[in-house]
Amino acid sequence: MSEVQWPWQYNFPPFFTLQPNEETKKKQLEAWRDLVLEYVKKTKTCIVDVQEADTTPLFSNAAISRKLSLEGIQAVLEMLHQKGNAEPIDKTKVRWYIYWHTLAEWADIFYQHAQENGLVNSVCTLYELVNTPDKEFTGLNEEIVIKILAQLQKDGKAELILSDDGSGSGVKFF
Amino acid sequence: MGVFFSKAKRSRVSEHDKAVLQVKQQRDKLKQYQQKVEKQLETERQLAKKLLNEGKRDRAKLLLRKKKLGEQLLSKADAQLENLETIINDLEFAQAEKEVIKGLQLGNEALKQVNTLYSIEDVERIMDETRESIEKQREIDEMLQGVLTNEDEADVEVEFEKMMADSRVAEPEPKVPIAEPEEFVSLPEVPSEEPSSPEEASEEAEKTKPSPDKEKVKSKEKVAVLAE
Protein backbone atom coordinates (compact mmCIF):
# COMPACT_ATOMS: atom_id res chain seq x y z
CA MET A 1 0.00 0.00 0.00
CA SER A 2 1.76 3.09 -1.22
CA GLU A 3 1.44 6.55 0.31
CA VAL A 4 -1.59 8.66 -0.62
CA GLN A 5 -0.60 11.76 -2.57
CA TRP A 6 -2.77 14.58 -1.22
CA PRO A 7 -3.53 17.26 -3.82
CA TRP A 8 -3.02 20.96 -3.06
CA GLN A 9 -6.77 21.43 -2.59
CA TYR A 10 -6.70 19.11 0.42
CA ASN A 11 -4.86 21.84 2.37
CA PHE A 12 -7.07 24.62 1.03
CA PRO A 13 -9.88 25.29 3.57
CA PRO A 14 -12.61 26.33 1.05
CA PHE A 15 -12.21 22.89 -0.57
CA PHE A 16 -14.22 21.48 2.35
CA THR A 17 -17.20 23.81 1.79
CA LEU A 18 -19.64 23.31 -1.08
CA GLN A 19 -19.14 26.39 -3.26
CA PRO A 20 -22.15 28.57 -4.20
CA ASN A 21 -20.79 29.43 -7.64
CA GLU A 22 -21.94 26.70 -10.04
CA GLU A 23 -18.75 26.63 -12.14
CA THR A 24 -16.49 26.61 -9.09
CA LYS A 25 -18.62 23.91 -7.48
CA LYS A 26 -18.29 21.75 -10.59
CA LYS A 27 -14.49 22.02 -10.46
CA GLN A 28 -14.57 21.36 -6.72
CA LEU A 29 -16.57 18.16 -7.12
CA GLU A 30 -14.29 16.98 -9.93
CA ALA A 31 -11.28 17.48 -7.67
CA TRP A 32 -13.07 15.60 -4.89
CA ARG A 33 -13.85 12.77 -7.31
CA ASP A 34 -10.18 12.45 -8.26
CA LEU A 35 -9.16 12.55 -4.60
CA VAL A 36 -11.68 9.90 -3.53
CA LEU A 37 -10.72 7.50 -6.34
CA GLU A 38 -7.01 8.00 -5.66
CA TYR A 39 -7.53 7.41 -1.94
CA VAL A 40 -9.67 4.26 -2.22
CA LYS A 41 -7.28 2.86 -4.83
CA LYS A 42 -4.21 3.34 -2.66
CA THR A 43 -5.91 2.09 0.51
CA LYS A 44 -7.99 -0.58 -1.28
CA THR A 45 -11.13 0.79 0.33
CA CYS A 46 -14.27 -0.74 -1.16
CA ILE A 47 -17.02 0.63 1.08
CA VAL A 48 -17.57 4.15 2.40
CA ASP A 49 -20.01 4.84 5.23
CA VAL A 50 -21.22 8.43 5.19
CA GLN A 51 -21.90 8.45 8.93
CA GLU A 52 -18.39 7.18 9.70
CA ALA A 53 -16.61 9.56 7.33
CA ASP A 54 -14.98 11.33 10.29
CA THR A 55 -12.93 8.23 11.08
CA THR A 56 -11.05 8.47 7.79
CA PRO A 57 -8.66 11.25 6.70
CA LEU A 58 -10.37 11.22 3.30
CA PHE A 59 -13.11 13.72 4.12
CA SER A 60 -11.44 15.51 7.02
CA ASN A 61 -8.09 17.24 7.36
CA ALA A 62 -7.19 17.65 11.03
CA ALA A 63 -4.17 19.78 10.12
CA ILE A 64 -6.41 22.62 8.94
CA SER A 65 -9.40 21.72 11.16
CA ARG A 66 -11.68 21.16 8.18
CA LYS A 67 -14.05 18.36 7.17
CA LEU A 68 -16.52 17.96 4.34
CA SER A 69 -20.16 18.24 5.41
CA LEU A 70 -22.64 15.41 5.06
CA GLU A 71 -24.29 17.27 2.21
CA GLY A 72 -20.90 17.65 0.53
CA ILE A 73 -20.05 13.96 0.89
CA GLN A 74 -23.39 12.98 -0.62
CA ALA A 75 -22.83 15.37 -3.53
CA VAL A 76 -19.44 13.79 -4.22
CA LEU A 77 -20.85 10.26 -4.03
CA GLU A 78 -23.74 11.13 -6.36
CA MET A 79 -21.25 12.45 -8.88
CA LEU A 80 -19.19 9.27 -8.59
CA HIS A 81 -22.40 7.29 -9.05
CA GLN A 82 -23.11 9.08 -12.33
CA LYS A 83 -19.60 8.25 -13.54
CA GLY A 84 -20.01 4.56 -12.67
CA ASN A 85 -17.48 4.70 -9.83
CA ALA A 86 -19.90 4.38 -6.90
CA GLU A 87 -23.17 2.75 -6.02
CA PRO A 88 -25.35 2.85 -2.87
CA ILE A 89 -25.51 -0.51 -1.11
CA ASP A 90 -29.10 0.05 -0.03
CA LYS A 91 -31.90 2.58 -0.36
CA THR A 92 -30.88 4.53 2.72
CA LYS A 93 -27.74 5.63 0.82
CA VAL A 94 -25.65 5.55 3.97
CA ARG A 95 -23.13 2.94 2.82
CA TRP A 96 -21.68 3.04 -0.69
CA TYR A 97 -19.59 0.77 -2.84
CA ILE A 98 -16.68 2.68 -4.39
CA TYR A 99 -15.07 1.39 -7.59
CA TRP A 100 -11.78 3.03 -8.53
CA HIS A 101 -12.24 1.22 -11.83
CA THR A 102 -15.74 1.06 -13.28
CA LEU A 103 -17.32 -2.40 -13.25
CA ALA A 104 -16.72 -2.69 -17.00
CA GLU A 105 -13.04 -1.82 -16.59
CA TRP A 106 -12.71 -4.30 -13.72
CA ALA A 107 -14.36 -6.97 -15.87
CA ASP A 108 -11.67 -6.52 -18.52
CA ILE A 109 -8.94 -6.70 -15.87
CA PHE A 110 -10.31 -9.97 -14.46
CA TYR A 111 -10.85 -11.55 -17.88
CA GLN A 112 -7.34 -10.63 -18.98
CA HIS A 113 -6.00 -12.23 -15.80
CA ALA A 114 -8.03 -15.38 -16.54
CA GLN A 115 -6.65 -15.58 -20.07
CA GLU A 116 -3.04 -14.94 -19.04
CA ASN A 117 -3.12 -17.59 -16.29
CA GLY A 118 -4.86 -20.49 -17.99
CA LEU A 119 -8.10 -20.10 -16.05
CA VAL A 120 -10.27 -20.22 -19.17
CA ASN A 121 -12.52 -23.30 -19.31
CA SER A 122 -11.88 -24.11 -15.67
CA VAL A 123 -13.52 -23.25 -12.37
CA CYS A 124 -11.93 -21.38 -9.51
CA THR A 125 -13.21 -20.10 -6.18
CA LEU A 126 -13.74 -16.41 -5.55
CA TYR A 127 -11.43 -16.75 -2.56
CA GLU A 128 -8.46 -17.92 -4.63
CA LEU A 129 -9.26 -15.29 -7.25
CA VAL A 130 -9.11 -12.28 -4.90
CA ASN A 131 -6.17 -13.75 -2.98
CA THR A 132 -3.97 -13.93 -6.06
CA PRO A 133 -0.87 -12.09 -4.80
CA ASP A 134 0.42 -8.82 -6.24
CA LYS A 135 -2.63 -8.01 -8.35
CA GLU A 136 -4.55 -4.74 -8.43
CA PHE A 137 -7.65 -6.70 -7.40
CA THR A 138 -5.89 -8.54 -4.55
CA GLY A 139 -8.06 -8.33 -1.45
CA LEU A 140 -10.99 -6.79 -3.33
CA ASN A 141 -14.37 -7.04 -1.63
CA GLU A 142 -16.07 -10.31 -2.60
CA GLU A 143 -19.48 -8.69 -3.12
CA ILE A 144 -17.94 -6.27 -5.61
CA VAL A 145 -16.15 -9.16 -7.32
CA ILE A 146 -19.52 -10.86 -7.80
CA LYS A 147 -20.86 -7.68 -9.41
CA ILE A 148 -17.83 -7.56 -11.71
CA LEU A 149 -18.15 -11.21 -12.72
CA ALA A 150 -21.86 -10.65 -13.36
CA GLN A 151 -20.74 -8.21 -16.07
CA LEU A 152 -18.64 -10.94 -17.69
CA GLN A 153 -21.54 -13.37 -17.33
CA LYS A 154 -23.76 -10.93 -19.22
CA ASP A 155 -21.19 -10.93 -22.04
CA GLY A 156 -21.02 -14.73 -22.04
CA LYS A 157 -17.38 -14.77 -20.89
CA ALA A 158 -18.00 -16.28 -17.46
CA GLU A 159 -20.60 -18.04 -15.40
CA LEU A 160 -21.00 -17.46 -11.69
CA ILE A 161 -21.54 -20.47 -9.44
CA LEU A 162 -23.28 -19.12 -6.37
CA SER A 163 -24.15 -21.55 -3.60
CA ASP A 164 -27.01 -21.06 -1.18
CA ASP A 165 -25.48 -23.11 1.63
CA GLY A 166 -22.74 -20.54 2.20
CA SER A 167 -19.96 -22.96 1.27
CA GLY A 168 -18.40 -20.38 -1.00
CA SER A 169 -18.89 -19.19 -4.54
CA GLY A 170 -16.95 -19.77 -7.72
CA VAL A 171 -16.73 -18.79 -11.34
CA LYS A 172 -15.99 -20.51 -14.64
CA PHE A 173 -14.38 -18.44 -17.39
CA PHE A 174 -14.93 -19.21 -21.08
CA MET B 1 -40.17 -19.41 -14.49
CA GLY B 2 -39.71 -20.40 -18.11
CA VAL B 3 -36.88 -17.92 -18.44
CA PHE B 4 -35.07 -19.33 -15.44
CA PHE B 5 -35.61 -22.84 -16.70
CA SER B 6 -34.17 -22.02 -20.10
CA LYS B 7 -31.23 -20.28 -18.45
CA ALA B 8 -30.53 -23.42 -16.45
CA LYS B 9 -30.43 -25.42 -19.67
CA ARG B 10 -27.89 -23.04 -21.17
CA SER B 11 -25.49 -23.48 -18.25
CA ARG B 12 -22.00 -24.40 -19.36
CA VAL B 13 -21.01 -25.54 -15.87
CA SER B 14 -20.94 -29.33 -15.64
CA GLU B 15 -21.25 -31.58 -12.61
CA HIS B 16 -17.51 -32.16 -12.95
CA ASP B 17 -16.94 -28.41 -12.63
CA LYS B 18 -19.05 -28.31 -9.49
CA ALA B 19 -17.09 -31.20 -7.99
CA VAL B 20 -13.79 -29.44 -8.70
CA LEU B 21 -15.18 -26.26 -7.17
CA GLN B 22 -16.19 -28.05 -3.97
CA VAL B 23 -12.71 -29.52 -3.52
CA LYS B 24 -11.18 -26.10 -4.14
CA GLN B 25 -13.49 -24.59 -1.54
CA GLN B 26 -12.31 -27.13 1.04
CA ARG B 27 -8.75 -26.21 0.11
CA ASP B 28 -9.51 -22.52 0.67
CA LYS B 29 -11.04 -23.23 4.08
CA LEU B 30 -7.97 -25.21 5.06
CA LYS B 31 -5.71 -22.35 4.00
CA GLN B 32 -7.74 -19.89 6.05
CA TYR B 33 -7.55 -22.22 9.05
CA GLN B 34 -3.77 -22.38 8.64
CA GLN B 35 -3.52 -18.60 8.57
CA LYS B 36 -5.57 -18.36 11.76
CA VAL B 37 -3.44 -20.94 13.59
CA GLU B 38 -0.19 -19.32 12.42
CA LYS B 39 -1.36 -15.97 13.76
CA GLN B 40 -2.25 -17.54 17.11
CA LEU B 41 1.13 -19.24 17.31
CA GLU B 42 2.93 -15.97 16.70
CA THR B 43 0.85 -14.23 19.36
CA GLU B 44 1.59 -16.97 21.89
CA ARG B 45 5.30 -16.95 21.04
CA GLN B 46 5.46 -13.22 21.76
CA LEU B 47 3.54 -13.75 24.99
CA ALA B 48 5.90 -16.55 26.07
CA LYS B 49 8.89 -14.30 25.46
CA LYS B 50 7.28 -11.59 27.55
CA LEU B 51 6.51 -14.00 30.41
CA LEU B 52 10.08 -15.26 30.31
CA ASN B 53 11.37 -11.71 30.67
CA GLU B 54 9.08 -11.26 33.66
CA GLY B 55 10.55 -14.35 35.29
CA LYS B 56 7.42 -16.50 34.93
CA ARG B 57 9.21 -19.53 33.54
CA ASP B 58 6.51 -22.11 34.25
CA ARG B 59 3.78 -20.17 32.42
CA ALA B 60 6.13 -19.52 29.52
CA LYS B 61 6.91 -23.23 29.25
CA LEU B 62 3.20 -24.03 29.30
CA LEU B 63 2.59 -21.65 26.40
CA LEU B 64 5.47 -23.16 24.46
CA ARG B 65 3.94 -26.63 24.87
CA LYS B 66 0.68 -25.24 23.56
CA LYS B 67 2.58 -23.70 20.66
CA LYS B 68 4.15 -27.08 19.89
CA LEU B 69 0.70 -28.64 19.72
CA GLY B 70 -0.38 -25.89 17.31
CA GLU B 71 2.58 -26.61 15.08
CA GLN B 72 1.59 -30.27 14.92
CA LEU B 73 -1.89 -29.21 13.85
CA LEU B 74 -0.31 -27.10 11.12
CA SER B 75 1.68 -30.08 9.88
CA LYS B 76 -1.46 -32.18 9.67
CA ALA B 77 -3.21 -29.35 7.83
CA ASP B 78 -0.28 -29.16 5.40
CA ALA B 79 -0.59 -32.88 4.67
CA GLN B 80 -4.32 -32.62 4.08
CA LEU B 81 -3.78 -29.55 1.90
CA GLU B 82 -1.34 -31.54 -0.20
CA ASN B 83 -3.93 -34.30 -0.57
CA LEU B 84 -6.55 -31.79 -1.69
CA GLU B 85 -4.17 -30.23 -4.22
CA THR B 86 -3.43 -33.71 -5.59
CA ILE B 87 -7.15 -34.44 -5.94
CA ILE B 88 -7.68 -31.12 -7.73
CA ASN B 89 -4.83 -31.79 -10.14
CA ASP B 90 -6.10 -35.32 -10.81
CA LEU B 91 -9.62 -34.06 -11.43
CA GLU B 92 -8.46 -31.37 -13.82
CA PHE B 93 -6.12 -33.76 -15.62
CA ALA B 94 -8.95 -36.27 -15.94
CA GLN B 95 -10.92 -33.51 -17.61
CA ALA B 96 -8.03 -32.88 -20.00
CA GLU B 97 -7.77 -36.62 -20.71
CA LYS B 98 -11.48 -36.71 -21.41
CA GLU B 99 -11.06 -33.91 -23.93
CA VAL B 100 -8.20 -35.76 -25.62
CA ILE B 101 -10.16 -39.00 -25.90
CA LYS B 102 -13.11 -37.07 -27.27
CA GLY B 103 -10.84 -35.49 -29.85
CA LEU B 104 -9.44 -38.88 -30.83
CA GLN B 105 -12.95 -40.27 -31.16
CA LEU B 106 -14.03 -37.39 -33.38
CA GLY B 107 -10.96 -37.83 -35.53
CA ASN B 108 -11.58 -41.55 -35.79
CA GLU B 109 -15.18 -41.07 -36.84
CA ALA B 110 -14.16 -38.49 -39.43
CA LEU B 111 -11.59 -40.94 -40.79
CA LYS B 112 -14.24 -43.66 -41.04
CA GLN B 113 -16.52 -41.34 -42.96
CA VAL B 114 -13.75 -40.50 -45.39
CA ASN B 115 -12.95 -44.18 -45.84
CA THR B 116 -16.56 -45.00 -46.69
CA LEU B 117 -16.39 -42.52 -49.56
CA TYR B 118 -13.80 -44.65 -51.37
CA SER B 119 -13.60 -48.43 -51.74
CA ILE B 120 -10.38 -50.25 -52.52
CA GLU B 121 -11.59 -50.87 -56.07
CA ASP B 122 -12.22 -47.14 -56.49
CA VAL B 123 -8.69 -46.43 -55.33
CA GLU B 124 -7.27 -48.97 -57.80
CA ARG B 125 -9.25 -47.42 -60.64
CA ILE B 126 -8.05 -43.96 -59.71
CA MET B 127 -4.45 -45.15 -59.55
CA ASP B 128 -4.75 -46.79 -62.99
CA GLU B 129 -6.24 -43.63 -64.47
CA THR B 130 -3.46 -41.60 -62.91
CA ARG B 131 -0.83 -43.93 -64.34
CA GLU B 132 -2.35 -43.69 -67.84
CA SER B 133 -2.44 -39.91 -67.60
CA ILE B 134 1.21 -39.86 -66.64
CA GLU B 135 2.14 -41.97 -69.68
CA LYS B 136 0.18 -39.69 -71.99
CA GLN B 137 1.96 -36.67 -70.56
CA ARG B 138 5.29 -38.35 -71.14
CA GLU B 139 4.46 -38.98 -74.83
CA ILE B 140 3.43 -35.35 -75.25
CA ASP B 141 6.73 -34.25 -73.67
CA GLU B 142 8.68 -36.42 -76.15
CA MET B 143 6.80 -34.93 -79.10
CA LEU B 144 7.55 -31.43 -77.82
CA GLN B 145 11.22 -32.32 -77.52
CA GLY B 146 11.25 -33.03 -81.28
CA VAL B 147 9.97 -29.54 -81.94
CA LEU B 148 12.78 -28.14 -79.81
CA THR B 149 15.21 -28.81 -82.67
CA ASN B 150 14.02 -25.63 -84.38
CA GLU B 151 14.73 -23.69 -81.21
CA ASP B 152 18.21 -25.19 -81.09
CA GLU B 153 18.87 -23.89 -84.60
CA ALA B 154 17.75 -20.43 -83.51
CA ASP B 155 20.13 -20.59 -80.55
CA VAL B 156 22.95 -21.53 -82.93
CA GLU B 157 22.27 -18.46 -85.06
CA VAL B 158 22.25 -16.26 -81.95
CA GLU B 159 25.59 -17.65 -80.83
CA PHE B 160 27.03 -17.13 -84.33
CA GLU B 161 26.04 -13.48 -84.25
CA LYS B 162 27.64 -13.14 -80.83
CA MET B 163 30.90 -14.56 -82.20
CA MET B 164 30.80 -12.04 -85.05
CA ALA B 165 30.33 -9.23 -82.52
CA ASP B 166 33.24 -10.53 -80.45
CA SER B 167 35.53 -10.47 -83.51
CA ARG B 168 34.66 -6.80 -84.09
CA VAL B 169 35.46 -5.98 -80.47
CA ALA B 170 38.98 -7.43 -81.08
CA GLU B 171 39.88 -4.56 -83.45
CA PRO B 172 40.57 -2.00 -80.67
CA GLU B 173 43.37 -4.25 -79.38
CA PRO B 174 46.09 -2.46 -81.49
CA LYS B 175 45.54 0.55 -79.20
CA VAL B 176 47.55 -1.23 -76.52
CA PRO B 177 51.04 -0.42 -78.08
CA ILE B 178 50.20 3.29 -77.86
CA ALA B 179 50.65 3.04 -74.09
CA GLU B 180 54.33 2.09 -74.46
CA PRO B 181 55.62 5.68 -75.00
CA GLU B 182 54.12 6.67 -71.66
CA GLU B 183 56.11 3.97 -69.95
CA PHE B 184 59.25 5.12 -71.81
CA VAL B 185 58.68 8.69 -70.65
CA SER B 186 58.47 7.66 -67.00
CA LEU B 187 61.82 5.83 -67.03
CA PRO B 188 64.16 8.88 -66.96
CA GLU B 189 62.56 10.32 -63.85
CA VAL B 190 63.89 7.59 -61.58
CA PRO B 191 67.66 8.36 -62.01
CA SER B 192 67.06 12.08 -61.47
CA GLU B 193 66.54 11.30 -57.80
CA GLU B 194 70.25 10.39 -57.50
CA PRO B 195 72.27 13.37 -58.93
CA SER B 196 75.39 12.47 -56.89
CA SER B 197 77.84 11.78 -59.85
CA PRO B 198 78.22 13.84 -63.09
CA GLU B 199 78.89 10.77 -65.25
CA GLU B 200 75.38 9.47 -64.67
CA ALA B 201 73.98 12.88 -65.51
CA SER B 202 75.67 12.87 -68.91
CA GLU B 203 74.32 9.42 -69.64
CA GLU B 204 70.80 10.60 -68.79
CA ALA B 205 71.23 13.55 -71.17
CA GLU B 206 71.95 11.21 -74.04
CA LYS B 207 68.82 9.18 -73.33
CA THR B 208 66.54 12.22 -73.27
CA LYS B 209 67.59 13.67 -76.63
CA PRO B 210 64.19 13.01 -78.29
CA SER B 211 62.51 15.22 -75.60
CA PRO B 212 63.73 18.85 -75.80
CA ASP B 213 61.72 19.98 -72.74
CA LYS B 214 63.34 17.42 -70.48
CA GLU B 215 66.83 18.40 -71.72
CA LYS B 216 66.27 21.85 -70.23
CA VAL B 217 65.28 20.30 -66.92
CA LYS B 218 68.41 18.17 -66.93
CA SER B 219 70.65 21.19 -67.72
CA LYS B 220 69.23 22.99 -64.70
CA GLU B 221 70.04 20.01 -62.57
CA LYS B 222 73.64 20.08 -63.80
CA VAL B 223 73.97 23.65 -62.63
CA ALA B 224 72.57 22.67 -59.20
CA VAL B 225 75.05 19.80 -58.90
CA LEU B 226 78.00 21.95 -59.88
CA ALA B 227 76.99 24.55 -57.30
CA GLU B 228 77.00 21.91 -54.58
Side-chain angles (χ1 to χ4, degrees), chain B residues 113-168:
Chain B
Q113 287 189 0
V114 172
N115 285 338
T116 55
L117 295 178
Y118 302 99
S119 64
I120 294 178
E121 294 174 355
D122 289 336
V123 172
E124 288 181 352
R125 190 182 73 254
I126 293 171
M127 294 299 291
D128 290 341
E129 290 175 359
T130 304
R131 208 174 295 114
E132 291 174 4
S133 300
I134 292 174
E135 291 178 355
K136 286 185 180 179
Q137 186 65 39
R138 195 174 294 150
E139 292 176 1
I140 295 172
D141 288 340
E142 290 175 356
M143 294 174 66
L144 289 176
Q145 288 176 2
V147 177
L148 284 175
T149 306
N150 294 335
E151 294 182 7
D152 289 336
E153 290 180 357
D155 290 339
V156 170
E157 292 178 0
V158 172
E159 288 184 12
F160 181 72
E161 292 178 358
K162 283 186 178 179
M163 293 174 67
M164 294 294 291
D166 290 341
S167 65
R168 293 172 188 173

Side-chain angles (χ1 to χ4, degrees), chain A residues 123 125 128 156 159 168 172, chain B residues 11-12 17 24-25 27-28:
Chain A
V123 292
T125 63
E128 73 175 300
E159 186 170 332
K172 183 176 185 182
Chain B
S11 174
R12 287 178 283 175
D17 292 327
K24 287 190 172 181
Q25 282 161 355
R27 173 201 61 187
D28 292 344

Side-chain angles (χ1 to χ4, degrees), chain A residues 122-125 127-128 156-157 159 161 167-170 172 174, chain B residues 10-13 17 20-21 24-25 27-29 31-32 35 92:
Chain A
S122 66
V123 292
C124 55
T125 63
Y127 176 87
E128 73 175 300
K157 294 181 176 177
E159 186 170 332
I161 310 167
S167 63
S169 304
K172 183 176 185 182
F174 303 108
Chain B
R10 294 183 201 147
S11 174
R12 287 178 283 175
V13 174
D17 292 327
V20 173
L21 186 66
K24 287 190 172 181
Q25 282 161 355
R27 173 201 61 187
D28 292 344
K29 286 179 178 175
K31 283 184 177 178
Q32 287 170 283
Q35 287 174 9
E92 291 186 333

Side-chain angles (χ1 to χ4, degrees), chain A residues 4 20 22 41 44 60 88 92 102:
Chain A
V4 177
E22 204 61 32
K41 178 177 181 178
K44 299 232 172 176
S60 62
T92 64
T102 64

